[in-house]
Amino acid sequence: MDRVRIDLHTHSTVSDGTDSPAELVATAARAGLNVVALTDHDTTAGWQPATQALPPGMRLVPGAELSCESVDAYGRRVSVHLLAYLFDPTSPTIVAEQQRLRRERRDRLRTMAVHMAADGLPVDPDEILGLLDPDAPAGRPHLAQALVRAGLVSSVDEAFTSYLGNGRGYYVPRRDTPVETAIEMIADAGGVTVLAHPFAASRGPTVTPEVIADLAECGLTGLEVDHPNHDSETRAELRDLAKELDLVRTGSSDYHGTNKTIAIGQETTAPEEFEALVARASGAAVQVG
Ligand code: AMP
Ligand code: FE
Ligand code: FE
Ligand code: ZN
């Protein structure tokens, strides 16, 4: 039999991807994947529609990408994305924190849009937020799409480079969850956690190996080693670090549909690493829906 193909990091229209959850599992099947994780930002709303649309032979790993924060070597705030899998989505702590984050995301996106409008850019904050479900995890890609529609930029990528990226004038940070708190919250709900694109320097300041060692002590399960934003040197460094700290090594595309140029299944996780990840989850059968 062919080797099982596994992609553990994807986004649907429930957050900032462009495939609906049902389309996403169909896209995964067409790309020859056998296992796909749905990891929308700060929501589990896609689990049920994805499960219902699952093609025969495809396994769905229910997950989410949690917006967290940590510090760098100089004590500066660092945005950290934590992939969480196989946790109980009805955990009251998780439900409350995800609701808080989605409100925070909406308020922060409005602030960014208001600043742009005040500078005379063709952006209508009410219109942008009005297009989103009130409980959706609003993100910069939504604002980027509005800039494309307004003709200000020709692509989502250009919107990030010119206006929305970390360090650009309109970037506004959020009050995210301390990453240690998030790791404990997911472990308490039976799940496992993987640090997403830990050394993706193009996204802004990143955590240090020392911080990752502390997070491993806290119960972190794995590191996303193979990610489109990591070059081969970075991957080698992360692979060694994961080995040293006894962390699972994953590889994933971080697929966002047409909001990015990355194909689903472009990066994959080795089956033995996936088995190790699942083995560390303590949740009994996870209820989807
Ligand atoms: P936010 O969650 O609002 O901070 O926005 C971050 C999201 O924007 C993440 O999901 C990234 O995947 C996406 N993103 C970051 N940089 C880019 C880029 N250059 N082009 C397209 N999407 C990006
Ligand atoms: Fe995203
Ligand atoms: Fe991310
Ligand atoms: Zn992601």
Side-chain angles (χ1 to χ4, degrees), residues 76-118:
R76 293 177 301 193
R77 175 191 183 276
V78 177
S79 162
V80 173
H81 289 180
L82 186 72
L83 293 162
Y85 304 105
L86 300 163
F87 58 89
D88 175 3
T90 66
S91 150
T93 321
I94 295 175
V95 169
E97 184 60 1
Q98 293 203 328
Q99 274 171 355
R100 184 193 73 77
L101 279 168
R102 291 195 297 268
R103 273 198 304 274
E104 175 78 20
R105 280 178 160 279
R106 212 176 158 81
D107 293 348
R108 172 268 202 154
L109 205 70
R110 178 179 288 281
T111 304
M112 289 180 71
V114 165
H115 288 169
M116 297 183 93

Side-chain angles (χ1 to χ4, degrees), residues 9 11 41 65 81 196-197 203 254:
H9 185 169
H11 297 264
H41 298 282
E65 184 172 18
H81 289 180
H197 42 75
R203 291 163 173 259
D254 201 356

Side-chain angles (χ1 to χ4, degrees), residues 4-10 28-29 32-38 54 57-61 264-265 268-269 271 274-275 278:
V4 177
R5 283 174 43 80
I6 305 162
D7 188 340
L8 295 178
H9 185 169
T10 71
L33 289 170
N34 311 97
V35 179
V36 68
L38 180 63
L54 215 52
M58 172 72 67
R59 174 166 175 191
L60 178 76
V61 180
I264 201 165
T268 53
T269 297
F274 175 61
E275 292 311 324
V278 172

Side-chain angles (χ1 to χ4, degrees), residues 13-233:
T13 46
V14 165
S15 63
D16 56 0
T18 57
D19 286 6
S20 69
E23 285 164 352
L24 188 134
V25 290
T27 308
R30 274 199 309 278
L33 289 170
N34 311 97
V35 179
V36 68
L38 180 63
T39 53
D40 279 308
H41 298 282
D42 305 317
T43 178
T44 58
W47 291 13
Q48 194 179 24
T51 305
Q52 276 169 355
L54 215 52
M58 172 72 67
R59 174 166 175 191
L60 178 76
V61 180
E65 184 172 18
L66 312 180
S67 303
C68 300
E69 56 189 36
S70 182
V71 290
D72 70 3
Y74 307 98
R76 293 177 301 193
R77 175 191 183 276
V78 177
S79 162
V80 173
H81 289 180
L82 186 72
L83 293 162
Y85 304 105
L86 300 163
F87 58 89
D88 175 3
T90 66
S91 150
T93 321
I94 295 175
V95 169
E97 184 60 1
Q98 293 203 328
Q99 274 171 355
R100 184 193 73 77
L101 279 168
R102 291 195 297 268
R103 273 198 304 274
E104 175 78 20
R105 280 178 160 279
R106 212 176 158 81
D107 293 348
R108 172 268 202 154
L109 205 70
R110 178 179 288 281
T111 304
M112 289 180 71
V114 165
H115 288 169
M116 297 183 93
D119 283 350
L121 294 170
V123 170
D124 180 343
D126 290 332
E127 186 191 313
I128 291 166
L129 291 166
L131 287 172
L132 295 171
D133 182 290
D135 197 32
R140 282 178 284 167
H142 299 116
L143 187 48
Q145 282 163 348
L147 300 185
V148 173
R149 283 195 303 273
L152 192 65
V153 289
S154 59
S155 68
V156 167
D157 227 31
E158 190 189 334
F160 272 86
T161 312
S162 302
Y163 297 101
L164 309 177
N166 294 35
R168 298 262 73 86
Y170 296 105
Y171 176 72
V172 173
R174 289 180 307 252
R175 284 172 300 142
D176 290 336
T177 314
V179 63
E180 298 82 359
T181 308
I183 290 170
E184 284 160 12
M185 178 178 91
I186 295 298
D188 286 349
V192 287
T193 47
V194 171
L195 210 53
H197 42 75
F199 289 168
S202 58
R203 291 163 173 259
T206 62
V207 290
T208 57
E210 291 72 29
V211 168
I212 294 181
D214 288 346
L215 299 182
E217 285 286 310
C218 247
L220 178 72
T221 321
L223 295 180
E224 191 175 53
V225 172
D226 293 310
H227 182 279
N229 291 155
H230 291 155
D231 61 20
S232 53
E233 205 175 307

